[in-house]
Amino acid sequence: MADTVHTHALPAEIFQPEDPLLVSERVAVAAFLAGYSGGTRVSYTTDLRIFAGWCHDHDLNLFNLKRAHLELFGRWMEQQGRMASTIARRLSTLSSFYKYCQIEDIITKNPAANVRRPKVDCESRTLGLDRNELGALLVQAGLGDVRDGALMTLLALNGLRISEALNADIEDMSTERGHRTLAIVRTGSKHVTIPIAPRTGRALDLYIGDRTIGPIFLGVQGGRMDRYCADRMIKRLTRQAGITKRISPHSLRHSFITAALDAGVPLRDVQEAASHADPRTTMRYDRARRSLDRHATYIVSTFVAGATRQG
């Protein structure tokens, strides 16, 4: 394969002068990543780059590893303080990469096939905002820059992934059967059309103004706004709203899901709104929410107190 793929055709995020991968390894990684796009490609690229750096530091070749090496990589991530979900995802990425290499006859055996992965909590550990905090944050966003207000409203009231919001263009906005809508590309290159609440629509119209084409959200240089800029903006607004939690763009998605569940939206409808392929993913948010609010201790305390009063 190395004889037929030219290095100048490799993706920019892989072929870097300082990259620890050898040319043959670079080609294999680039070919593997070519089958993915969007957030999945970005995630896989990050995982493989980190693993390649670890291999380089330990004088290891990507194509000459054993299961024990990947187990050691997992332990190293634990020592670095990585979350169990992050470790499990990276080991899953490596399993997919080595499976590809095995199919392409680059290696004879997948060293990651039986690597033990950490157990991931069934509850989401992402910090979310409660109803009052979410309201306060939206009020704060509305007092500032119109771009901030538009993005915060879209994230909080539609639960979009930050990549979905930032990749949307003005041309993707429309009207369908009386609903303001936005066409977005979700995980797995799935194209969907979502409704926009009147409050969100007004915020977007105010920000977009007379523009008719191009990205909805613009960066300071006039190009498409990037996720790092969005992250900084959200953290700034969170501080200004007096919220002490460490909030990220995903926290707003988490807040949307839990707010929908608290408002009584059926789990199946929340799953669809969040574009979760598996209902168990949505249920993770539901468990995290109910574990405190609906804990049996409250019912038992009331039950026992009633028996005491009767006695």
Side-chain angles (χ1 to χ4, degrees), residues 231-245:
D231 185 67
R232 291 194 298 272
M233 179 266 288
I234 290 171
K235 286 180 169 54
R236 171 174 52 80
L237 291 174
T238 301
R239 291 193 302 270
Q240 293 174 349
I243 298 170
T244 58
K245 294 178 180 176

Side-chain angles (χ1 to χ4, degrees), residues 28-148:
V29 171
F32 168 71
L33 292 174
Y36 302 93
S37 62
T40 301
R41 181 187 175 104
V42 172
S43 178
Y44 281 4
T45 299
T46 300
D47 294 342
L48 289 170
R49 188 180 294 281
I50 290 172
F51 180 62
W54 182 84
C55 288
H56 175 74
D57 291 342
H58 293 81
D59 296 321
L60 297 172
N61 184 290
L62 285 184
F63 302 145
N64 190 28
L65 297 179
K66 298 184 181 298
R67 171 180 167 179
H69 292 119
L70 288 119
E71 299 277 6
L72 289 173
F73 176 61
R75 301 297 83 74
W76 174 78
M77 287 190 287
E78 287 180 356
Q79 294 169 2
Q80 296 295 309
R82 298 295 177 259
M83 296 176 60
S85 57
T86 299
I87 297 173
R89 190 201 73 230
R90 286 180 179 165
L91 292 176
S92 177
T93 297
L94 294 177
S95 181
S96 297
F97 169 66
Y98 281 118
K99 181 179 180 180
Y100 168 82
C101 291
Q102 185 178 20
I103 292 173
E104 294 297 317
D105 294 325
I106 300 173
I107 59 176
T108 58
K109 185 178 179 180
N110 180 355
N114 298 309
V115 171
R116 291 168 293 181
R117 302 175 193 174
K119 183 177 179 181
V120 179
D121 286 344
C122 63
E123 296 181 7
S124 173
R125 294 300 179 186
T126 300
L127 283 178
L129 301 172
D130 61 30
R131 179 184 179 184
N132 293 331
E133 290 171 331
L134 192 58
L137 185 57
L138 287 174
V139 168
Q140 183 63 49
L143 295 174
D145 186 84
V146 290
R147 184 192 65 175
D148 297 352

Side-chain angles (χ1 to χ4, degrees), residues 140-261:
Q140 183 63 49
L143 295 174
D145 186 84
V146 290
R147 184 192 65 175
D148 297 352
L151 180 56
M152 290 293 291
T153 305
L154 185 61
L155 294 175
L157 300 186
N158 275 92
L160 298 187
R161 297 176 178 88
I162 187 63
S163 59
E164 296 168 348
L166 298 184
N167 289 332
D169 294 325
I170 296 173
E171 304 95 298
D172 297 326
M173 298 178 64
S174 183
T175 301
E176 184 176 331
R177 298 197 301 275
H179 297 277
R180 293 288 300 277
T181 62
L182 176 66
I184 59 174
V185 181
R186 302 218 121 146
T187 302
S189 299
K190 180 181 179 182
H191 293 258
V192 299
T193 299
I194 60 171
I196 299 173
R199 178 177 179 177
T200 306
R202 290 192 296 270
L204 288 170
D205 290 340
L206 182 63
Y207 168 56
I208 292 172
D210 296 330
R211 290 188 291 132
T212 57
I213 60 173
I216 292 179
F217 297 103
L218 299 175
V220 292
Q221 301 297 326
R224 191 180 299 275
M225 186 181 187
D226 62 48
R227 62 191 307 129
Y228 303 105
C229 178
D231 185 67
R232 291 194 298 272
M233 179 266 288
I234 290 171
K235 286 180 169 54
R236 171 174 52 80
L237 291 174
T238 301
R239 291 193 302 270
Q240 293 174 349
I243 298 170
T244 58
K245 294 178 180 176
R246 184 177 177 83
I247 299 300
S248 68
H250 187 71
S251 301
L252 296 178
R253 176 172 166 81
H254 180 284
S255 302
F256 165 79
I257 294 172
T258 54
L261 293 168

